Amino acid sequence: MSTGIAGTEDPAGPPAEAAGRRREQRGWYFYDFACSVYSTSVLTVFLGPYLTSIAKAAADADGFVHPLRIPVRAGSLFAYAVSVSIVVAVIVMPVVGAAADRSGRKKPLLAAAAYTGATATACMFFLEGDRYLLGAFLLIVANASISVSMALYNAYLPQISTPEERDAVSSRGWAFGYTSGAFVLVLNLVLYTGHDSFGLSESDAVRICIASAGVWWGAFALVPLRRLRDRRVAPGGDGAVGSGWRQLRATLRDMRRHPLTLSFLLAYLIYNDGIQTVISQASLYGSEELGLDQTTLITAVLLVQVLAVAGALGMGRLARVYGAKRTILASLAVWTLILAAAYVLPADAPVFFYSLAAAIGLVMGGSQALSRSLFSHLVPQGKEAEYFSAYEMSDRGLSWLGPLVFGLGYQLTGSYRDAILSLVLFFALGSVLLARVPVRAAVAAAGNAVPERI
């Protein structure tokens, strides 16, 4: 099957080509290995509670801070900053994706996005006192950067794997990410719980845990940057930089020619918004609403990471039997039950929180990995980076509504329980829309070979 890009070999070709493809796949896995530490240690565990504590230290008597003279409840600042970061990513990603497809040079753009995010994360070491504005700014830069880099990273998937391989390759990528996240969380747990023996304050330990994620991200990003190949594109046309917005408009017009692909993207946009909000706000919910300490939160997320590896691989196997669509729909039903349980979860009850974390781990990796591989079948050949930019808007890019709803829910009610319950709508509506997508017809309409089981 051709990738539709001039100069690209048939990925199902002879043994030498298959060996080269496997080498690229192994390199590709390592970007998940590199950047997932940011998602786990920084976004999911440490930064939410830590930035909230800094905002509370800077708050007025009513509990509000005033960035740009806008009154913001200190407990909502983290959610709002995540939402703003995603809006920034929405603006940047389509242009970067169009430039990558037009020039055929995804790797330099991937490197720029990765090291911008890694640098911003490392600079969070200087986040202390009442520097909540610095924290919000670095969060916006790092989170937007990881979104842009993931769009470029995901766009390699159709080029380095055959249609039959994609569920497995995508699931292995997630498994690599969860493995690194779990390993670094163990190191974080040792440092945080033993900070006195290391001669560190609790704040120092948190800042080191956060900043080290940026160092890890930058170091392991070197592996995919060495192994992945840029593909040649047909000559002609305007330069990528000058034609970015024109290419974006052309991409949007082209996407209207594939309504079934857009239908899947809309469903994914909605249910993944719920997933991303749960991931980013879980520690804040645990610390502020349930009264759990940082050690409990770290170990709970560590449990999520360990089970997510098994969940991603196990759901990949289920997809080979029942199809990716049915497996994703089953996972969304579980997500809905998880939110209902979180709403009634008693405070100061770590055992119940661990049970919830285990359930999240078993469905989180698989639902995301299978969504990525399913979408790769719906992308017209030669449009990978552009379409995966749109996909990334739905993944880490356009998931701005969930954090905004969560932040507003707390701002208006002062209750994180009310905020978490509002996310049920994302899973319910996303499930209904996904169920209505005829995926086999969508794959054929995109001009791709239809796998035996999808």
Side-chain angles (χ1 to χ4, degrees):
M1 174 183 170
S2 170
T3 63
I5 300 180
T8 302
E9 296 87 352
D10 184 349
E17 295 175 7
R21 188 173 72 249
R22 286 192 296 272
R23 184 178 188 276
E24 281 196 276
Q25 289 171 2
R26 289 191 291 269
W28 185 81
Y29 299 148
F30 267 91
Y31 192 70
D32 250 325
F33 190 85
C35 71
S36 290
V37 172
Y38 165 84
S39 299
T40 54
S41 291
V42 179
L43 194 64
T44 303
V45 177
F46 288 108
L47 190 57
Y50 186 65
L51 182 57
T52 299
S53 69
I54 289 176
K56 286 183 175 180
D60 59 22
D62 297 321
F64 285 81
V65 291
H66 300 268
L68 303 178
R69 298 185 178 180
I70 301 171
V72 173
R73 194 184 290 270
S76 296
L77 178 71
F78 176 70
Y80 288 154
V82 171
S83 188
V84 171
S85 73
I86 292 165
V87 172
V88 172
V90 167
I91 296 171
V92 175
M93 281 191 299
V95 180
V96 172
D101 277 335
R102 183 171 288 271
S103 67
R105 302 189 67 206
K106 288 192 285 290
K107 194 154 63 170
L109 295 170
L110 175 61
Y115 285 104
T116 298
T119 300
T121 304
C123 287
M124 291 179 188
F125 178 80
F126 302 104
L127 179 58
E128 57 184 339
D130 60 356
R131 298 177 179 174
Y132 75 93
L133 282 176
L134 174 64
F137 172 75
L138 292 175
L139 169 58
I140 290 168
V141 173
N143 221 40
S145 296
I146 199 171
S147 297
V148 173
S149 71
M150 287 300 292
L152 296 163
Y153 163 76
N154 286 337
Y156 277 100
L157 181 58
Q159 298 178 338
I160 65 173
S161 60
T162 65
E164 290 74 18
E165 292 174 332
R166 285 182 203 161
D167 284 349
V169 170
S170 182
S171 295
R172 288 189 199 111
W174 283 107
F176 263 62
Y178 289 126
T179 300
S180 71
F183 175 72
V184 173
L185 273 179
V186 170
L187 300 180
N188 292 158
L189 182 62
V190 171
L191 179 64
Y192 179 81
T193 57
H195 60 82
D196 287 333
S197 62
F198 290 107
L200 299 171
S201 67
E202 182 178 336
S203 174
D204 290 339
V206 170
R207 291 187 296 118
I208 290 171
C209 289
I210 291 173
S212 63
V215 176
W216 179 284
W217 183 359
F220 284 99
L222 291 172
V223 179
L225 292 174
R226 285 179 61 88
R227 291 200 172 189
L228 291 172
R229 294 188 297 114
D230 279 334
R231 269 68 175 175
R232 295 191 302 274
V233 297
D238 297 329
V241 176
S243 63
W245 285 105
R246 290 194 297 276
Q247 183 62 45
L248 172 59
R249 289 194 294 269
T251 300
L252 295 176
R253 286 195 299 270
D254 185 74
M255 291 186 74
R256 291 199 297 268
R257 296 173 49 238
H258 301 280
L260 296 180
T261 300
L262 280 175
S263 295
F264 172 81
L265 197 59
L266 176 61
Y268 179 72
L269 181 154
I270 294 171
Y271 71 72
N272 189 67
D273 205 341
I275 293 174
Q276 294 300 322
T277 306
V278 172
I279 293 171
S280 66
Q281 306 302 320
S283 286
L284 187 62
Y285 184 77
S287 63
E288 298 295 321
E289 185 67 36
L290 302 181
L292 302 174
D293 58 32
Q294 192 73 63
T295 300
T296 300
L297 298 177
I298 295 172
T299 52
V301 175
L302 179 59
L303 178 63
V304 170
Q305 296 301 113
V306 171
L307 291 178
V309 176
L313 298 176
M315 286 182 64
R317 294 189 181 95
L318 287 175
R320 289 199 292 271
V321 178
Y322 299 104
K325 177 182 172 180
R326 290 181 180 178
T327 307
I328 294 169
L329 286 171
S331 75
L332 297 182
V334 176
W335 275 108
T336 303
L337 294 175
I338 287 170
L339 288 179
Y343 179 74
V344 299
L345 206 65
D348 299 315
V351 173
F352 291 105
F353 192 72
Y354 287 138
S355 300
L356 209 62
I360 290 174
L362 289 174
V363 295
M364 181 172 68
S367 57
Q368 293 177 315
L370 292 177
S371 296
R372 177 170 65 185
S373 63
L374 181 55
F375 183 71
S376 73
H377 292 285
L378 310 182
V379 177
Q381 297 174 9
K383 299 288 185 179
E384 291 86 2
E386 295 172 42
Y387 272 60
F388 267 107
S389 289
Y391 173 88
E392 188 62 22
M393 289 182 196
S394 303
D395 188 355
R396 296 180 191 182
L398 203 56
S399 298
W400 57 270
L401 185 58
L404 179 61
V405 169
F406 188 89
L408 284 173
Y410 180 75
Q411 174 127 351
L412 296 175
T413 68
S415 169
Y416 285 109
R417 292 186 188 272
D418 294 334
I420 203 75
L421 191 62
S422 67
L423 302 180
V424 170
L425 177 63
F426 291 91
F427 294 104
L429 183 57
S431 297
V432 170
L433 293 176
L434 177 60
R436 294 170 59 89
V437 178
V439 291
R440 298 185 70 85
V443 174
N448 296 322
V450 181
E452 180 179 351
R453 181 74 65 180
I454 192 170

